[in-house]
Amino acid sequence: MNPNPSGSEPAREEVRSVAAKISTLLLTSLLSLNAFAATPQLKVQAHLQPAEGTMVGGLVELQVDVLTDTWFTSAATLPDLKLDGALVMPPDSQAQHLNQTIDGQSFSGMRYSYLITPNVAQRYEIPALTVSATPGQAATAISAQSQPLQFSAAQPPGFKPGEPPLVANGVRFTQSVINSATPLKVGDSITRLLTLQADGALAMALPVPTMGDVAGLSRYAKTPQVSNLDDGRGAMLGGQRIDSVTYRIDKTGMHILPAIEVKWWDAKTRQSRTAQVPAVTFEAATTSAEKQVFSITEDLKQLGRNRLYFSTAWLLWLALLTAVIGAGYWLRPAILRAHQQWQARQRARQLAWEQSAAFTWQQIEPQLQAQPAQLTALYLWLRRSRLGLKLVDAGPRLQGLLRGLYGREPTPGQTLVQLRQSLTTLHSQAEQQQHKPVPALRPLNPVHERDFP
């Protein structure tokens, strides 16, 4: 039999229509899968160290891991963290490089640390932290959140409620004494220098040693020097506080500077301990200015008569000596203040130097030669040199270097050699950028750090 052409044509049209729809659906699915696979991922994880057993005055480290399956073109932006009843130190410029495998997929990134010292015995709630970063192959910044955490802090045994304890793994309390003259006399001074070091504690959490007034002495306290102790590679080891007080001797005789104690809680042995410096005892003699300048009896014998005779030269020398002693007495506080102001200016200049781009530039080469190499100083130098918040803005060559460091097939050895060879070009770009004028209007979409208000 011959087939009916008029009856088979609608069936063929329907088959072609169904086949076209299936092809379109498959093509759309493949394009969606490719677009999804090309989108980089950003993961944020948070941990507490230690997770439990925290004491008031102790140190809790909140570790925030920022991870991606590609690489980062700029440093991550972390939010501020404030906790009622606790002292929080935000992450510094130093961060730890990480490599992790999550669900069979490789991730790399940085670990940032918040240092928390609870001051009140209570429960602390750490909210979810929103972190933004720009991974490689991403058109814009991506945001992700960490999980919320909580911990409880208890008052160490032996400390009264409300008494601020010092919790540390170890404490060293020493003193040194400096005399302005030997032997000491009225008008001289003695300086007591107290150094308190605590392992595993923030410098801002160290207690203030009790130094009261002493009869017969005038006390002048200087601004304490508070700083954190590290291992030279950015890892915080503890805190240090240096207190200096100067005593001016106003009366002759024996004087005693009392012993000073610092009570602290040993986090290793979980016991209450006391660190102490001994008392300081010294004797002050009479100054030569308090003795008689000349003998009245000898003058009477030389004159041979019963009336006093003062020569003009003696009166001038006596007036000059009195003026010198009075000026020294009244100007001594002003001299001490001027010295303190000079020290403050020195510290300010040192701090400005440490926060400058030139100082950060000196840290780049040692970090690149370290094992493993680090780019923390390079990121910080780019920000301070006004080259922008993104490392890719420094040139296409550096984009290739980043792919060599954090790409899917990294070649870190060869890439680091090329990066060190490009440092001279980077420095020249920074000098040219510093001579460019800043526009009067801020851009709507700021890229460089100098574009932000």
Side-chain angles (χ1 to χ4, degrees):
M1 295 179 60
N2 294 328
N4 186 2
S6 61
S8 61
E9 186 65 25
R12 285 196 295 269
E13 290 294 336
E14 183 178 358
V15 170
R16 284 195 294 268
S17 176
V18 172
K21 291 181 180 180
I22 294 176
S23 300
T24 303
L25 180 61
L26 290 176
L27 181 60
T28 304
S29 301
L30 289 176
L31 292 176
S32 300
L33 289 175
N34 291 335
F36 178 77
T39 302
Q41 300 183 51
L42 180 66
K43 293 183 179 294
V44 178
Q45 302 174 348
H47 315 276
L48 287 175
Q49 292 293 337
E52 57 184 13
T54 304
M55 292 291 181
V56 175
L59 187 62
V60 180
E61 182 179 0
L62 173 60
Q63 298 176 350
V64 179
D65 299 342
V66 184
L67 305 171
T68 183
D69 57 348
T70 57
W71 65 88
F72 289 114
T73 61
S74 61
T77 302
L78 281 77
D80 294 333
L81 176 61
K82 295 182 180 180
L83 298 177
D84 293 337
L87 177 66
V88 181
M89 177 178 291
D92 56 13
S93 59
Q94 300 293 335
Q96 179 182 355
H97 290 270
L98 295 177
N99 290 291
Q100 293 186 10
T101 301
I102 302 176
D103 298 332
Q105 188 175 4
S106 298
F107 284 82
S108 62
M110 307 293 289
R111 170 172 290 175
Y112 302 89
S113 296
Y114 293 85
L115 300 180
I116 304 173
T117 298
N119 297 324
V120 182
Q122 65 180 23
R123 184 177 183 85
Y124 294 88
E125 300 288 341
I126 300 178
L129 302 179
T130 301
V131 180
S132 62
T134 306
Q137 301 179 356
T140 59
I142 302 176
S143 298
Q145 281 190 336
S146 65
Q147 69 276 20
L149 301 173
Q150 60 275 336
F151 68 94
S152 297
Q155 189 77 358
F159 289 84
K160 300 178 181 179
E163 180 182 1
L166 170 60
V167 179
N169 299 324
V171 171
R172 294 169 297 279
F173 192 26
T174 59
Q175 74 173 345
S176 60
V177 178
I178 303 174
N179 297 337
S180 64
T182 303
L184 290 172
K185 303 176 295 298
V186 173
D188 292 335
S189 63
I190 179 172
T191 300
R192 194 179 195 183
L193 197 65
L194 301 175
T195 301
L196 177 62
Q197 295 179 337
D199 298 331
L202 292 180
M204 293 182 291
L206 299 183
V208 181
T210 303
M211 293 180 290
D213 295 330
V214 179
L217 304 177
S218 298
R219 181 169 61 93
Y220 301 93
K222 297 182 180 179
T223 303
Q225 302 177 17
V226 181
S227 60
N228 288 323
L229 303 176
D230 56 44
D231 59 357
R233 295 175 295 179
M236 202 277 293
L237 300 179
Q240 175 178 269
R241 180 187 178 96
I242 301 177
D243 291 270
S244 177
V245 58
T246 299
Y247 295 91
R248 188 189 64 197
I249 303 173
D250 298 331
K251 294 183 180 180
T252 60
M254 190 69 65
H255 299 280
I256 299 177
L257 304 180
I260 301 177
E261 294 184 352
V262 173
K263 187 179 179 181
W264 63 286
W265 176 260
D266 194 335
K268 291 183 177 179
T269 62
R270 305 188 69 82
Q271 295 179 351
S272 177
R273 299 182 181 275
T274 301
Q276 183 182 32
V277 293
V280 178
T281 303
F282 61 94
E283 184 177 3
T286 303
T287 61
S288 58
E290 295 180 347
K291 298 180 181 179
Q292 294 181 351
V293 180
F294 52 87
S295 174
I296 299 178
T297 304
E298 291 296 328
D299 282 351
L300 290 175
K301 291 181 179 179
Q302 292 177 3
L303 293 174
R305 51 190 177 180
N306 293 328
R307 70 181 182 90
L308 297 178
Y309 175 77
F310 297 94
S311 64
T312 304
W314 277 110
L315 291 175
L316 292 176
W317 280 110
L318 182 60
L320 179 61
L321 182 60
T322 303
V324 170
I325 295 175
Y329 179 82
W330 291 107
L331 293 178
R332 188 177 186 86
I335 296 175
L336 290 176
R337 287 194 300 269
H339 180 67
Q340 294 174 359
Q341 294 174 357
W342 177 82
Q343 289 182 330
R345 289 193 297 269
Q346 291 292 107
R347 289 192 295 268
R349 283 194 291 268
Q350 180 65 23
L351 180 59
W353 161 246
E354 293 178 354
Q355 295 179 349
S356 64
F359 176 80
T360 313
W361 176 261
Q362 298 178 358
Q363 315 302 318
I364 296 177
E365 182 66 22
Q367 287 193 3
L368 294 179
Q369 296 180 356
Q371 295 296 332
Q374 298 184 14
L375 299 178
T376 306
L378 181 58
Y379 278 116
L380 184 58
W381 176 79
L382 287 172
R383 295 182 59 188
R384 293 178 176 177
S385 301
R386 297 168 51 188
L387 286 181
L389 301 178
K390 297 183 179 180
L391 190 57
V392 296
D393 295 338
R397 186 175 183 181
L398 280 183
Q399 300 179 25
L401 295 176
L402 287 177
R403 295 190 186 95
L405 288 176
Y406 303 108
R408 300 184 182 277
E409 296 181 358
T411 56
Q414 179 182 358
T415 302
L416 289 175
V417 173
Q418 297 176 0
L419 180 57
R420 288 196 293 268
Q421 294 175 354
S422 303
L423 292 180
T424 303
T425 304
L426 273 179
H427 200 274
S428 300
Q429 292 179 359
E431 292 180 351
Q432 297 174 2
Q433 186 70 21
Q434 291 174 357
H435 292 85
K436 292 182 179 180
V438 179
L441 297 178
R442 301 289 183 180
L444 295 178
N445 297 315
V447 174
H448 297 280
E449 185 179 15
R450 62 189 178 91
D451 295 335
F452 289 90

